[in-house]
Amino acid sequence: MSIQETISKQRGRSAFLLTPIHGLNLGWQVIARLRADRRFKVYYPYRNLLRTHPFFSRYYEYPPLPYSNLFNAELCHWVNAVPRWVSHIPYVIEPNDHPLAATGKSEPHDVLGGIGRAIEVYMDQKCKRILVESEGQMGLFKRYFPEQVLKKTEIVRLGAIPKPVDFDQKLKKVETPIFLCFASDYKKKAVDILIQAWREFSQKSKCQLILACPNVPVEIADTLDRENIRLIRKAPLSESEKTELLNIAHVMIAPLHVDGGANVIEAFEHGLPVITMRSQRSFIREGNGWEVDVPFYFYDEGYGKEWPTWERFWQLVEDAKLSRAFDMTVQGFVNIFEDIVNTPSKLIEMGKISHELARNEFSLETRNAVLRRIYSEALQ
């Protein structure tokens, strides 16, 4: 989720209802740790994050410890920005998608111009740790900040909850692979590039693309049936709807111009390899997916300079498409699709690698253990 989207949603959208999360018996683990963790008085901003993205619900269903209210807090765990009026309390900070989220600004030029505020937040002695979600995001920290800030950073994964996966059953049907794409927005998630690539894919009759996107233009949506694309014009999907689709899919496609990430973690949880586009948050490892190159993406080096505003960014994207600069991205998708159809069984082994990541390095259980250790060190 982009800085602008996060800040906008934190300012005014109503909270969603929590839904049960299945797969791991994390609830019992949390209950067992309650008494041991009562020595920690850590505040986490429940209300604001519940308005931001459904993915955050898991942090409330299965927290690393029972969080304190702000009044009693000895440590705060902030996401993106630190409110000035509570900056007297020691804190750790977790930028949701970009290190400059700490500026509290939304337009790229303003965000870049506010780097002094971000440095102030990170260099403050009360800032005990900066939680970075990916190696790509760490690269952005290295782009913008001095070594003193980098010394405070630590990679803390988003937190996957792996689901039971019957890989033998998937193997039986992999000869006719199902590609799945969850896209919350046609424009921001580069759905036009995916559709163009699928149309140029010569073996699409041997497989199916399920595309869940609420705002595909009507003139395009009406043509998709004959392209072996099943369109679901809805977002967000319910947990049961998503689970049903993830269970029948063999590979997740996660295109984007602006951020992303939750759909990739969901793919890992269900044992799916991932095809995505270059960004600061791809999470691709050797053997569990593919990353297609792009001419540029929102947080690329031109951020705040070549595109000082969101409007200018989208104009440059349209210009690049007209000049065929994104043809390499389209062709990258096509090459991967062809490779998959020629050797579909590889999807099962790649999916097992994704599932292993969800059970270990990327797991919510691992995240919670790391957070408890960070909180403990910060409060010493």
Side-chain angles (χ1 to χ4, degrees), residues 311-330:
E311 182 180 3
R312 180 58 180 158
F313 172 73
W314 290 121
Q315 184 59 59
L316 289 173
V317 169
E318 290 306 309
D319 292 346
K321 290 176 180 177
L322 289 173
S323 66
R324 309 194 67 170
F326 277 94
D327 280 7
M328 67 173 184
T329 307
V330 172

Side-chain angles (χ1 to χ4, degrees), residues 26-46:
L26 290 174
W28 287 109
Q29 297 174 27
V30 170
I31 292 171
R33 290 176 178 139
L34 290 183
R35 290 184 179 178
D37 290 331
R38 279 178 182 162
R39 66 185 181 277
F40 297 121
K41 293 183 179 180
V42 183
Y43 171 74
Y44 191 69
Y46 288 81

Side-chain angles (χ1 to χ4, degrees), residues 101-128:
T103 65
K105 306 292 185 181
S106 58
E107 287 287 3
H109 179 268
D110 296 335
V111 171
L112 201 59
I115 192 169
R117 168 58 182 164
I119 291 176
E120 176 187 334
V121 168
Y122 296 142
M123 291 293 293
D124 193 311
Q125 290 186 349
K126 292 182 289 296
C127 177
K128 302 303 182 181

